[in-house]
Amino acid sequence: AQSVTQPDIHITVSEGASLELRCNYSYGATPYLFWYVQSPGQGLQLLLKYFSGDTLVQGIKGFEAEFKRSQSSFNLRKPSVHWSDAAEYFCAVGRNNNDMRFGAGTRLTVKP
Amino acid sequence: SQTIHQWPATLVQPVGSPLSLECTVEGTSNPNLYWYRQAAGRGLQLLFYSVGIGQISSEVPQNLSASRPQDRQFILSSKKLLLSDSGFYLCAAKTIGEWDTDTQYFGPGTRLTVL
């Protein structure tokens, strides 16, 4: 069965510092992978997705993620974090119609 | 692009009262529709999904139900709310048959507090 693990429940970084949020997945086939961001009290916004092709994908707001099949990972990165990036981030995996699975989320705090 | 609306944005209900949350989608036809619940400090739990009018699949047995009376309308209901029904309810839609398939887009959510 497919599953997603986000090992870090909460991460704090200083504004301007680099960021990496970890995501590991378990899936029987080549997965579709997603990162979403959720600001407090809001819905989820799609940051980026990987379906196939180039394993380094670019998203909105300066985020990127790299698919590493050998490590079953899809980590999210940003070279310089802004205070407005403080939010909760969800990794998700799925391929077929209705088997999408979400990780438990990583809450990002940005220090001034 | 599609836009997903949810109503109401917030709701406070007493235990044992009924519930009706509405989700409507604009900008696409025949989407797959989903209801998720997000409890405080937790990830997303898929409650129901629908691949067409009148077609509902339940992922988790509970006192909630869902209906899809129209192509772009998805309703989450309960006859009697429990305290454990409190949470943030998210509706999502996925367009089928276009390049950007297999991507779920989310509405703004409804915050439900059961007292």
Side-chain angles (χ1 to χ4, degrees):
Chain A
Q2 60 272 17
S3 64
V4 180
T5 302
Q6 292 181 247
D8 305 304
I9 296 174
H10 183 206
I11 284 183
T12 299
V13 300
S14 298
E15 190 168 16
S18 64
L19 171 70
E20 182 168 26
L21 302 182
R22 297 183 290 166
C23 173
N24 294 98
Y25 68 88
S26 173
Y27 201 80
T30 301
Y32 292 170
L33 295 157
F34 308 82
W35 274 101
Y36 289 87
V37 61
Q38 184 182 34
S39 297
Q42 303 295 315
L44 274 68
Q45 180 183 23
L46 180 69
L47 283 176
L48 48 78
K49 60 189 177 185
Y50 171 79
F51 283 2
S52 64
D54 192 347
T55 55
L56 183 64
V57 293
Q58 302 297 320
I60 62 172
K61 304 185 179 186
F63 286 92
E64 66 177 26
E66 186 170 12
F67 170 54
K68 293 186 176 179
R69 185 189 304 275
S70 60
Q71 299 177 20
S72 297
S73 70
F74 188 57
N75 294 349
L76 182 71
R77 301 193 294 249
K78 186 169 185 177
S80 177
V81 170
H82 188 262
W83 64 266
S84 60
D85 293 324
E88 185 129 23
Y89 292 80
F90 292 93
C91 181
V93 61
R95 188 178 181 98
N96 297 324
N97 246 356
N98 305 302
D99 69 353
M100 194 174 217
R101 295 289 185 256
F102 287 82
T106 297
R107 184 162 60 92
L108 173 65
T109 298
V110 180
K111 294 190 302 184
Chain B
S1 63
Q2 57 191 311
T3 303
I4 301 164
H5 302 280
Q6 289 188 243
W7 185 90
T10 60
L11 189 60
V12 180
Q13 292 283 91
V15 169
S17 64
L19 172 74
S20 181
L21 303 182
E22 184 171 347
C23 170
T24 57
V25 182
E26 294 179 354
T28 187
S29 297
N30 195 31
N32 284 6
L33 297 174
Y34 307 83
W35 277 113
Y36 290 88
R37 177 169 58 203
Q38 187 178 28
R42 294 190 174 183
L44 279 73
Q45 178 188 34
L46 179 63
L47 302 175
F48 301 94
Y49 67 89
S50 171
V51 299
I53 295 174
Q55 301 179 62
I56 308 295
S57 296
S58 174
E59 289 290 300
V60 181
Q62 59 219 319
N63 71 318
L64 299 172
S65 62
S67 62
R68 186 169 177 176
Q70 299 180 47
D71 180 46
R72 289 172 286 179
Q73 183 185 30
F74 202 26
I75 297 173
L76 183 69
S77 304
S78 174
K79 293 182 179 178
K80 288 186 178 181
L81 283 169
L82 306 173
L83 286 173
S84 58
D85 292 324
S86 293
F88 193 52
Y89 288 82
L90 289 159
C91 178
K94 182 165 72 174
T95 300
I96 304 300
E98 298 177 6
W99 135 248
D100 195 19
T101 59
D102 290 297
T103 301
Q104 292 187 22
Y105 293 92
F106 286 80
T110 293
R111 171 74 58 195
L112 172 64
T113 303
V114 182
L115 302 175

